[in-house]
Amino acid sequence: VQPAMLGLWSLLLLWGLATPCQGLLETVGTFARIDKDELGKAIQNSLVGGPILQNVLGSVTAVNQGLLGSGGLLGGGGLLGHGGVFGVVEELSGLKIEELTLPKELLKLLPGFGVQLNLHTKVGMHCSGPLGGLLQLAAEVNVTSRVALGVSSRGTPILILKRCSTLLGHISLFSGLLPTPLFGVVEQMLFKVLPGLLCPVVDSVLGVVNELLGAVLGLVPLGALGSLEFSLATLPLISNQYIELDINPIVKSVAGDIIDFPKSPAPAKVPPKEDHTSQVTVPLYLFNTMFGLLQTNGALDMDITPELVPSDVPLTTTDLVALLPEALGKLPLHQHLLLSLRVKEAPTVTLNNKKALVSLPANIHVLFYVPQGTPESLFELNSVMTLRAQLTPSATKLHISLCLERLSVKVASSFTYAFDESRLEEWLSHVVRVVYAPKLNVALDVGIPLPKVLNISFSSSVLEIIENAVVLTVPS
């Protein structure tokens, strides 16, 4: 059969009866806006390279396996084979699907109602005719399916096929002889048979899309910190350009306990989505939770010893005496220093004005090594480090790297004379930039996982820092 005929599948997806409202878009949670183009690509890809192609379309040729193979619906003794439905028409025998053209989809979102998907295809068939010889036919088919959207027991969106029917279009005879009375019989039989053949194809499409939608829920490891799990907070909402998923991020410890850090009381006002783009929002809560986990696990603490410091970083008593000669003039020279840095409170992250800042409060205990003895304490400082965060999206994560913007210190206790702590800020800032910040960035290498939505890659996304959130926009 030559591929010339064009049919129509119309798949109506009933996603819900509400459209996104401005109030929902201003909440603090994680949410994704999936452009209709992305949904269309997911369906088309499932037909081209997924199990539907392998198990249905690819089986109509000489593969002889799967749905349309010798042991399937169309094989000998199958639904359309010899002894099947067409066994009642003795003049015809062995009617089989010879070709099923790859559908072309046309997607339309229906605000407040659902999704309409048109898939264009053709069905080519052959059989033995009543007068002998091979009959070759082609038919246009319109398959209409109604699909309800629910939430699975795992908390993910799921599409459920509720009703499926077919409307047979024009039937053409390409070769062979078929008397007019039998042509009507063929048409009647196709009305009976094609729903059983093509409705499972629709179910297969939904199965693939459900797998992609189900990937939203996933337990993503956070290294030694624990894991992050996404679940659906509410039913998806639909507009004329995108579907919105309100996603609830749940952070768990290594032991599996839910960790609940305070959420920001201020909402994140997300900018409007442009056409042919998809969005994912990362709320301030996830940033604070990530740094809170690092703090409680001790990953932000560090003992800065001479072995860890490059030769160009001043870390001896001689360097310190030069900064504070009045207070430390009697200190033995040329002795190595030890800086014990401890973060006893959770850092605070600020997202605003296109900047991401991390305020990290740390206690810095300064000691010096005594030959063949225990390090002796000099003084303790309460410091606040303000670090600028550079955010870089990859396919599945939002990566964070920090660099010091400024550091302020205040004496907490001293075992020597009083001194002006501001003289130490430049020296300590250098140590933090060269030694401590790289250690922080290694701890942050785990990144913040992004929800998996229809296999969208965020590596090419445009990143925008807004108040209390980060928005990633991906072109479709």
Side-chain angles (χ1 to χ4, degrees), residues 2 5 15 31 62 67 105 124 141 170 188 191 198 249 251 314 317 322 365 373 386 451 475:
Q2 298 180 4
M5 290 190 146
W15 285 85
F31 63 85
L67 180 65
E105 56 87 15
V141 186
H170 179 67
Q188 293 177 15
F191 271 118
L198 297 179
V251 181
T317 53
H365 190 186
T386 301

Side-chain angles (χ1 to χ4, degrees), residues 351-430:
L351 300 173
N352 201 2
N353 297 325
K354 299 183 179 181
K355 291 176 63 175
L357 298 177
V358 180
S359 179
L360 194 151
N363 175 269
I364 303 175
H365 190 186
V366 181
L367 307 92
F368 73 98
Y369 286 95
V370 177
Q372 300 178 347
T374 305
E376 293 188 10
S377 177
L378 288 174
F379 49 84
E380 291 188 39
L381 303 169
N382 288 330
S383 72
V384 176
M385 306 178 200
T386 301
L387 303 112
R388 185 158 190 164
Q390 180 179 356
L391 308 178
T392 307
S394 66
T396 59
K397 291 183 179 181
L398 183 61
H399 297 275
I400 307 170
S401 62
L402 301 176
C403 62
L404 183 69
E405 280 209 345
R406 60 184 179 273
L407 178 146
S408 62
V409 295
K410 189 173 184 180
V411 175
S413 63
S414 174
F415 298 92
T416 182
Y417 298 106
F419 58 88
D420 181 6
E421 60 265 19
S422 64
R423 297 183 182 180
L424 300 175
E425 289 179 352
E426 184 177 351
W427 167 63
L428 286 172
S429 295
H430 183 53

